[in-house]
Amino acid sequence: MIVNDKTPFWTFIMCIILCTNLTLYPQSYTENKSTEEFTTFLDGLNQKLGTGKPLNAIDYYKGIDLVQDIESDSLRVQFYNIFLAHYGDSGQTELLVSLAEEALPILKKQKDYMNITFTYVHLAKTYISDNDRNNFRRICAESVAYYDN
């Protein structure tokens, strides 16, 4: 091997290129793996609902863990829609409120008006049934302001 005064520079450049490639590949691989795992999870939920089995809190919390790594808004919307529809009239107000508060920004970004309305209605019903008038007024004012724009 020939060693000269430029060898450390080229060694340094090769190290940077190699390290960059090694760090970028696993990230894209894990994103694809997360999306694939989440899609499989959503398919499982749809099959479960198709057979008439109710969703449970374990399904919800597993989904919440998985949805954090998902970049695709359309996949996130599918997740939120499944659980908002399921928990809408279940009486599990804490789950519904936390899920709806997470879902609204994404639904607004997607301009999914039907599900935005659905979410606002369920939030309003939840707040009024809990006799939480301040949040009821807030959510009603927020929905009117959203549709006025």
Side-chain angles (χ1 to χ4, degrees), residues 40-59:
T40 304
F41 171 74
L42 288 177
D43 290 342
L45 289 179
N46 285 323
Q47 288 175 357
K48 189 174 186 178
L49 289 172
T51 61
K53 295 180 184 173
L55 301 178
N56 56 35
I58 293 171
D59 294 328

Side-chain angles (χ1 to χ4, degrees), residues 60 80 84 93-108 119-120 123-124 127 135 138-139 142:
Y60 171 77
Y80 291 129
L84 286 171
T93 58
E94 296 84 19
L95 290 177
L96 178 69
V97 169
S98 67
L99 188 62
E101 295 290 339
E102 288 177 31
L104 275 172
I106 295 170
L107 293 171
K108 288 177 180 178
T119 304
Y120 276 131
L123 277 172
Y127 289 136
N135 277 326
R138 178 187 59 83
I139 208 68
E142 187 180 314

Side-chain angles (χ1 to χ4, degrees), residues 73-139:
D73 284 341
S74 63
L75 284 175
R76 294 172 73 99
V77 165
Q78 285 179 30
F79 168 75
Y80 291 129
N81 287 343
I82 289 170
F83 278 95
L84 286 171
H86 181 73
Y87 286 123
D89 295 318
S90 69
Q92 297 177 346
T93 58
E94 296 84 19
L95 290 177
L96 178 69
V97 169
S98 67
L99 188 62
E101 295 290 339
E102 288 177 31
L104 275 172
I106 295 170
L107 293 171
K108 288 177 180 178
K109 184 178 169 185
Q110 292 276 317
K111 298 189 185 305
D112 188 351
Y113 298 114
M114 182 182 78
N115 287 312
I116 292 169
T117 304
F118 176 74
T119 304
Y120 276 131
V121 166
H122 278 295
L123 277 172
K125 283 175 26 180
T126 300
Y127 289 136
I128 204 68
S129 69
D130 288 349
N131 206 21
D132 187 352
R133 290 191 174 122
N134 290 333
N135 277 326
F136 175 74
R137 285 187 197 110
R138 178 187 59 83
I139 208 68

